Amino acid sequence: MKDSNSPKPSRPDGDPSSAGRDESQRQNLGRAVRHSALPLKRLWLHYFSMGGTAGEYELNAYIHSLYSLPEFQQDILAQAANEMIDMLPSPPRASYSDEADHDWASNAEIQR
């Protein structure tokens, strides 16, 4: 009998190209989450609110290559992460000499 808690393959076995795409998508997601310092709990809540079905534990395991998600769930998770990344404030930028007397808020307005 198969353990119901074991990871489910995200695509049919035997297709090495799909396995490579899965891993590449997972790696890209992991890099984006780490680079943006997205809190996993908040990411999971956003993913779940969008119809994601994996639990917080599975999402964490997926990001760390310990669990597989079906393709549709991978895409919902990618959408959730991208939406959260888009909501992050832009990092402060260095000003040029003709902008040096502006404050940070003004520089942010200039960059938009």
Side-chain angles (χ1 to χ4, degrees):
M1 177 181 245
K2 198 169 189 181
D3 180 5
S4 64
N5 292 326
S6 64
K8 313 287 188 284
S10 57
R11 295 207 172 92
D13 292 336
D15 183 358
S17 64
S18 67
R21 284 190 306 269
D22 283 353
E23 182 59 19
S24 177
Q25 184 178 11
R26 189 212 53 79
Q27 287 178 355
N28 288 337
L29 174 73
R31 275 193 293 273
V33 167
R34 284 186 298 278
H35 178 77
S36 302
L38 294 179
L40 289 181
K41 182 154 192 89
R42 287 187 55 216
L43 175 59
W44 174 77
L45 285 170
H46 192 59
Y47 156 81
F48 188 74
S49 75
M50 295 174 66
T53 58
E56 184 179 356
Y57 179 78
E58 288 84 9
L59 183 142
N60 190 13
Y62 171 73
I63 290 174
H64 292 94
S65 298
L66 301 171
Y67 190 81
S68 296
L69 291 175
E71 181 179 351
F72 183 65
Q73 293 301 311
Q74 292 175 25
D75 289 343
I76 293 172
L77 181 56
Q79 180 68 31
N82 287 334
E83 286 181 7
M84 288 183 70
I85 290 167
D86 288 345
M87 290 187 281
L88 293 173
S90 300
R93 299 192 39 107
S95 61
Y96 294 98
S97 59
D98 62 344
E99 302 171 336
D101 57 343
H102 292 24
D103 63 13
W104 283 111
S106 297
N107 284 341
E109 301 271 328
I110 291 170
Q111 296 302 320
R112 291 182 189 206

